Amino acid sequence: EDEISDLLPLIQEANAIAKELQKPIKFEIKLVTKVPEVARMGPLDELKSHKQIEIGVNMENLRNGDSVVWTAEKFNDRLYMFRDLFERMSDVPEGQKLDIPKEEDPFWDPPEPHLIGNAHVYLKFLYHVLELQYNPVIIDYRGKQEGELRVEIYPVDDNGEEYDEPPNGLEEWIGKPINFDFKLIYGKGLTEKYANNVSVEFQFFNEPVIELDPIPGKKPNPEFNFRRLFKIEKITKELVDYLQNDAMTFKVKGYTDAAYKELMESQGMSHRPSNALGSTMEPPASAAPSASQELPSKPATPAVSEVEFKQAKDEAEKLRAEKRKLEVEKEELQKEMVERERKAKDEALATVTKDGDKAVKKQIDEMKKERDSAVCHIILCF
């Protein structure tokens, strides 16, 4: 709540500057649910991780409807640049316009791929040296399904043949070589809004990160047909642990229609380094003020009206309510998992008790039979 309260007036200031400079941009707070990238966790831990909430700033282009979520740190860096641009505009004589290159406009970002979502593939089949054929679903930052991939991995020998008699576990083959024939065949059902220039990034064990070349055009059902043979010279304990507990994470990226159009138009043109391969764009050195640099004074920025302040206050209250709701939901889910574990333990205990009762009853019946046999023997003797 403190972070939201601190961020709100800065967002209102940025919106006011954008309005004064006639930029078709709107900023607002965005609550982002963090999805884990590595799946080395139990169901309860994974459930908790899906409910971790981060605060970002959504920048929406009102002209084409595109939006991108900035971190609070990136927004703060850009705000210094907004203020500087506003000061420069204030020095321009009335009736004239300040022309700045698009590359120097802090309200503009080069077209960058959008993270459609992550897909996880658990590798325990490979630990047992069995083939793995799987269609992992692609999950976005909200936990919503955004399509699926087709992944196949085959443990093979140096001749490319599958093993006839696999071991019970890969520990039995420590020190021996093994190969994995990996295939990423296709994607299916991707959200059309982001299905332009689709690419996938992933990594297997300690191999270098692989990023597939983007598939040109709009492809909600892209055909990757990618194949790679991962050769392991010696099976190690580290590899065994990786296959037992970890998962491969596939990051699926794509461009919006507007961003893809701009990307195509800008090819061959000189502009700020784009983020075509998904690396994090660092703000210019001038974005963050040095100790000796004096920031524009607060009165230089447009004032926020009472109506805008009330709207911001109402928005903050809605965000707090949403956050509280998510936290309550998280607690309820945690309680449900705990209750499931308790019931499972009770059922197991009941089964043990039941089996114990049967054993005792069987023992009593046997004792009765022995007693009856002894009585009969005594009678016959007499």
Side-chain angles (χ1 to χ4, degrees):
E1 291 185 11
D2 291 339
E3 189 176 350
I4 292 175
S5 300
D6 292 341
L7 205 53
L8 267 174
L10 302 181
I11 286 178
Q12 289 301 312
E13 180 184 351
N15 282 329
I17 293 176
K19 185 177 180 181
E20 286 291 323
L21 299 181
Q22 298 182 354
K23 299 289 184 181
I25 300 295
K26 180 183 178 183
F27 297 96
E28 60 184 3
I29 288 179
K30 186 83 170 182
L31 296 181
V32 179
T33 304
K34 185 178 179 182
V35 178
E37 291 189 1
V38 180
R40 182 187 276 221
M41 54 182 67
L44 186 57
D45 292 330
E46 188 172 344
L47 182 65
K48 291 177 182 177
S49 295
H50 275 271
K51 292 302 174 181
Q52 291 177 355
I53 302 167
E54 294 182 350
I55 296 175
V57 177
N58 186 71
M59 183 185 75
E60 180 183 3
N61 187 319
L62 301 176
R63 187 171 294 158
N64 58 29
D66 270 6
S67 63
V68 61
V69 179
W70 288 352
T71 63
E73 291 77 15
K74 180 174 180 177
F75 171 76
N76 284 322
D77 287 340
R78 288 297 180 94
L79 183 57
Y80 291 122
M81 301 172 70
F82 298 161
R83 290 168 178 166
D84 180 63
L85 180 61
F86 182 76
E87 282 294 300
R88 291 165 60 188
M89 280 290 297
S90 302
D91 295 336
V92 175
E94 189 174 350
Q96 294 185 19
K97 185 179 179 182
L98 177 65
D99 290 323
I100 59 172
K102 180 170 65 174
E103 295 81 6
E104 297 179 9
D105 187 350
F107 289 92
W108 177 80
D109 261 349
E112 299 180 358
H114 171 87
L115 179 62
I116 299 174
N118 295 329
H120 299 299
V121 174
Y122 291 83
L123 303 173
K124 204 152 191 176
F125 272 74
L126 304 183
Y127 165 75
H128 293 288
V129 196
L130 300 173
E131 66 180 40
L132 190 158
Q133 299 177 353
Y134 190 48
N135 285 38
V137 296
I138 302 166
I139 304 296
D140 69 3
Y141 70 91
R142 299 164 296 179
K144 180 182 175 184
Q145 182 173 337
E146 295 288 352
E148 62 183 51
L149 301 174
R150 176 63 178 182
V151 176
E152 298 180 3
I153 310 177
Y154 301 89
V156 296
D157 57 24
D158 289 336
N159 297 320
E161 300 293 333
E162 296 183 38
Y163 295 97
D164 294 330
E165 298 181 3
N168 294 325
L170 213 55
E171 293 103 333
E172 298 179 12
W173 284 5
I174 284 182
K176 296 182 179 180
I178 191 171
N179 305 311
F180 296 101
D181 186 6
F182 171 87
K183 299 177 185 179
L184 176 57
I185 302 174
Y186 61 78
K188 185 170 69 173
L190 304 186
T191 303
E192 294 222 4
K193 179 180 178 181
Y194 303 113
N196 298 288
N197 249 32
V198 175
S199 64
V200 182
E201 177 185 315
F202 57 92
Q203 182 179 23
F204 177 79
F205 191 42
N206 292 330
E207 298 288 326
V209 174
I210 295 173
E211 182 164 6
L212 304 189
D213 292 333
I215 298 180
K218 181 181 280 292
K219 300 289 175 59
N221 300 304
E223 295 284 341
F224 300 113
N225 294 320
F226 176 85
R227 186 174 184 178
R228 175 70 59 85
L229 183 67
F230 295 114
K231 298 177 71 69
I232 308 297
E233 293 182 0
K234 286 184 178 181
I235 297 172
T236 62
K237 181 67 174 66
E238 184 183 5
L239 175 65
V240 172
D241 186 53
Y242 171 74
L243 297 179
Q244 269 190 306
N245 301 296
D246 279 5
M248 289 183 70
T249 297
F250 296 81
K251 297 181 179 182
V252 185
K253 305 174 186 176
Y255 289 80
T256 62
D257 293 337
Y260 182 62
K261 180 181 178 182
E262 185 177 355
L263 179 68
M264 293 297 98
E265 292 174 350
S266 66
Q267 281 186 343
M269 296 173 60
S270 175
H271 58 72
R272 277 194 299 178
S274 68
N275 197 8
L277 295 181
S279 60
T280 303
M281 185 193 72
E282 294 294 334
S286 59
S290 64
S292 60
Q293 196 174 9
E294 187 175 345
L295 295 180
S297 59
K298 193 71 175 181
T301 57
V304 179
S305 66
E306 292 184 7
V307 175
E308 290 175 327
F309 181 77
K310 185 177 184 303
Q311 290 176 345
K313 188 177 179 181
D314 293 342
E315 182 182 356
E317 187 57 40
K318 288 180 181 178
L319 288 169
R320 291 191 188 100
E322 182 180 351
K323 185 177 180 181
R324 287 194 293 268
K325 182 180 177 183
L326 288 171
E327 289 174 348
V328 170
E329 183 182 350
K330 173 183 173 180
E331 291 177 1
E332 290 177 350
L333 288 170
Q334 289 175 352
K335 290 179 181 178
E336 183 179 344
M337 292 296 293
V338 171
E339 181 63 20
R340 286 182 181 178
E341 290 180 2
R342 187 189 64 79
K343 287 184 178 179
K345 288 179 181 179
D346 290 345
E347 290 176 0
L349 182 61
T351 301
V352 171
T353 304
K354 185 177 179 181
D355 292 342
D357 291 344
K358 287 181 178 179
V360 171
K361 187 174 183 300
K362 183 179 179 180
Q363 187 176 2
I364 292 173
D365 290 340
E366 290 176 353
M367 290 175 64
K368 286 182 178 179
K369 288 180 180 178
E370 290 178 0
R371 183 196 63 189
D372 294 342
S373 176
V375 169
C376 291
H377 179 71
I378 293 170
I379 292 173
L380 289 173
C381 289
F382 278 100

